[in-house]
Amino acid sequence: MNRNIRSPFRSLLIQAITLVISGLVVVLLLLWWIDSRIIQPAFHELEYRQALDDAERVKAGIENQLVSLGNMAGDWANWDDTYAFAEDHNSDYITSNCPDISLLSRTSKIDLLAVYDREGKVLLLGSFHPVIGKEVAVQPFSGVRPPI
């Protein structure tokens, strides 16, 4: 006859393993709950606030540039000089208003300057590449037409 003798240590070992596995499951569930209910919402809130701050900084920067460019465009004395330059092609205009395209790029963030006369002839054409830090050659634009 075969007898199955149950050892008291075997049942205690099974109970201990079950208890350890149950404990691990409880700890994992607790960690998941803390992460999903406390940590992740806090990070989402931080990311949202940072995105709003970044958007405000970008908006302020764009508004500052628009004001600056608006002031430049509204300077009627410069426009009068430009119209006179378009008529007589006086080279003093270039030295007094745009001595260096790199300076224009740094001060007003304008990297391309093209001036045409009323017939579509190129009077001034310059481009500065701020990344490489030097003036680059550009071809005249073929789409510029004289006004009717």
Side-chain angles (χ1 to χ4, degrees), residues 122-139:
V122 177
L123 302 177
L124 175 64
L125 184 60
S127 178
F128 182 77
H129 197 291
V131 175
I132 62 175
K134 66 179 185 178
E135 192 169 344
V136 292
V138 263
Q139 298 297 320

Side-chain angles (χ1 to χ4, degrees), residues 84-92 117-119 121-123:
F85 170 66
E87 288 294 326
D88 62 11
H89 303 199
N90 185 356
S91 63
D92 292 338
D117 67 3
R118 291 185 176 148
E119 286 77 39
K121 179 182 171 189
V122 177
L123 302 177

Side-chain angles (χ1 to χ4, degrees), residues 22-67:
S22 299
L24 286 174
V25 168
V26 168
V27 166
L28 290 174
L29 287 174
L30 182 63
L31 289 174
W32 171 81
W33 184 86
I34 289 172
D35 182 60
S36 65
R37 301 293 181 189
I38 297 171
I39 295 172
Q40 289 301 321
F43 275 114
H44 287 295
E45 181 66 24
L46 286 172
E47 287 175 344
Y48 178 75
R49 287 183 185 175
Q50 186 63 44
L52 287 179
D53 289 346
D54 291 345
E56 286 298 319
R57 279 196 299 276
V58 168
K59 180 182 170 190
I62 290 172
E63 287 174 353
N64 288 340
Q65 288 298 320
L66 285 176
V67 168

Side-chain angles (χ1 to χ4, degrees), residues 4 8 12 56 66 109 113 144:
N4 259 344
L12 285 175
E56 286 298 319
L66 285 176
K109 306 294 187 234
L113 179 63
V144 176

Side-chain angles (χ1 to χ4, degrees), residues 91-128:
S91 63
D92 292 338
Y93 172 85
I94 295 173
T95 58
S96 66
N97 288 296
C98 185
D100 183 15
I101 192 73
S102 64
L103 177 66
L104 182 66
S105 176
R106 283 191 301 274
T107 58
S108 64
K109 306 294 187 234
I110 295 175
D111 299 325
L112 174 66
L113 179 63
V115 179
Y116 292 82
D117 67 3
R118 291 185 176 148
E119 286 77 39
K121 179 182 171 189
V122 177
L123 302 177
L124 175 64
L125 184 60
S127 178
F128 182 77

